[in-house]
Amino acid sequence: MARYRLRFLLQEFDLPPGETIIGRGPDCRITLVDPLVSRHHTKVRVEATRALIEDLGSRNGSRVNGRLIRGAHVLKDGDRIRIGTQELVFSEVESVQLATNKQTGFLCHCAICHLPYPEEMGTCPNCGSGEREEENTLSGILDDRGRRTWALQMLIEMLRKALSLGRPADADRIMTHALTQVDERLRSPDKLDEGQLETLALEALKLAELQGSANWARWVLDTYRRAALLPPRSVAEGVSRLPADELMSLRDQLDDIVACAPKTKLSPAEVEGLARLRTIRATLHGG
């Protein structure tokens, strides 16, 4: 008998017989933290020989492979389900065996603010509470590297939400947890994913701009230096938007990055980023 799964980010969720509710509410089996997702957005119903998806009258609808669904829709292996801005992939598997070299990463829900976060953090990075809604814990099969990447991605998503709601204090707490995750990656043999680092850096720079402080921008520049990477142009542009007096406080970090930049084997994004940093540096030095 076939079994079914949904994959979201680095997590995989087994779909049991019967209904699985997906939405923003903490009582859903799969909770998506997205303002465009309704509290109870859609459901997947697993029957003996098939799985069907049906929108639950959500504000923004549910899409399968880019098409808005009407009524119950039979899912096929590889179908991409779009709910709000989130995408899940449906898969059909003959059997589910857990590899012995894998570990299970857990996503639990805070009992106070109801946001999901990686269980390994101990307390909610959004509100600091240690109370959990244990019955809503979700799991995915991840190796050590996958768990770290997944945990950091969850923090980035929470950071985006806090910033979109104009809550700098919450965003600052989340960034502190993200800092710890990045430091662990820098000390490990695994390299940081450059795309993920860029995404986090851009959110950190938004927070720095919102706070009118260069603190998180300084962390961004130091992190790129420690990772032996050059910030791409998007990150350099984010740095340039800081207030002039705060930007001046970053002069030493900018000097170090420009002075230590390699002369060859740079990607186009690094070339553009370095050029923008040089322009910022020249402005700060008055020429």
Side-chain angles (χ1 to χ4, degrees):
M1 177 180 177
R3 295 181 64 178
Y4 307 102
R5 284 180 172 177
L6 284 177
R7 185 172 72 249
F8 174 59
L9 297 177
L10 296 176
Q11 309 160 71
E12 289 191 351
F13 305 106
D14 281 326
L15 294 170
E19 295 184 350
T20 292
I21 305 298
I22 307 170
R24 187 164 43 84
D27 56 330
C28 295
R29 182 168 187 270
I30 300 178
T31 301
L32 303 177
V33 183
D34 186 328
L36 296 181
V37 174
S38 298
R39 187 175 179 82
H40 293 163
H41 197 106
T42 193
K43 68 179 179 182
V44 175
R45 186 171 72 255
V46 173
E47 299 178 347
T49 59
R50 62 179 184 173
L52 304 95
I53 185 171
E54 185 175 355
D55 188 79
L56 296 176
S58 66
R59 289 174 299 170
N60 298 302
S62 304
R63 296 177 181 271
V64 175
N65 299 325
R67 295 187 176 182
L68 198 65
I69 60 172
R70 306 288 184 186
H73 177 89
V74 178
L75 288 168
K76 298 178 181 178
D77 186 57
D79 277 350
R80 295 184 175 274
I81 301 167
R82 173 71 64 168
I83 299 174
T85 62
Q86 312 301 316
E87 185 173 86
L88 303 93
V89 180
F90 174 81
S91 62
E92 180 176 340
V93 290
E94 292 300 326
S95 62
V96 179
Q97 295 181 346
L98 300 183
T100 56
N101 63 342
K102 297 284 186 177
Q103 294 184 357
T104 302
F106 288 96
L107 178 68
C108 59
H109 291 80
C110 175
I112 304 302
C113 66
H114 306 299
L115 288 177
Y117 66 92
E119 185 183 49
E120 63 190 28
M121 291 182 177
T123 59
C124 175
N126 181 56
C127 68
S129 171
E131 298 183 39
R132 300 172 180 173
E133 296 178 347
E134 295 293 348
E135 68 276 14
N136 290 321
T137 296
L138 307 176
S139 64
I141 307 305
L142 306 169
D143 59 16
D144 287 340
R145 181 178 181 180
R147 290 175 67 207
R148 288 192 292 266
T149 301
W150 167 69
L152 184 57
Q153 186 62 41
M154 285 301 304
L155 287 170
I156 291 172
E157 295 301 325
M158 294 178 69
L159 178 61
R160 281 175 169 163
K161 181 174 183 182
L163 289 171
S164 69
L165 295 175
R167 294 158 56 179
D170 292 340
D172 196 80
R173 283 195 295 271
I174 295 168
M175 266 304 304
T176 300
H177 285 271
L179 178 153
T180 302
Q181 292 286 323
V182 171
D183 283 349
E184 288 180 0
R185 293 299 294 273
L186 290 174
R187 291 194 297 267
S188 75
D190 297 329
K191 291 184 178 180
L192 272 169
D193 179 87
E194 292 185 37
Q196 194 175 47
L197 176 58
E198 180 182 2
T199 301
L200 177 61
L202 292 174
E203 299 304 319
L205 290 169
K206 290 177 185 177
L207 176 58
E209 189 177 2
L210 187 62
Q211 293 175 329
S213 167
N215 288 338
W216 286 116
R218 186 174 295 105
W219 175 82
V220 167
L221 295 176
D222 284 343
T223 299
Y224 270 97
R225 178 184 56 78
R226 292 172 60 199
L229 297 170
L230 282 173
R233 184 179 180 88
S234 59
V235 173
E237 291 291 354
V239 171
S240 72
R241 288 193 288 270
L242 289 170
D245 56 340
E246 295 296 330
L247 197 56
M248 184 64 71
S249 71
L250 299 175
R251 190 166 61 176
D252 290 344
Q253 281 78 16
L254 290 169
D255 287 347
D256 287 344
I257 288 179
V258 171
C260 297
K263 307 300 181 186
T264 58
K265 296 183 179 180
L266 296 179
S267 68
E270 289 177 322
V271 170
E272 292 181 359
L274 182 58
R276 187 69 181 99
L277 291 177
R278 282 175 172 155
T279 300
I280 298 170
R281 177 174 172 268
T283 301
L284 296 177
H285 283 277

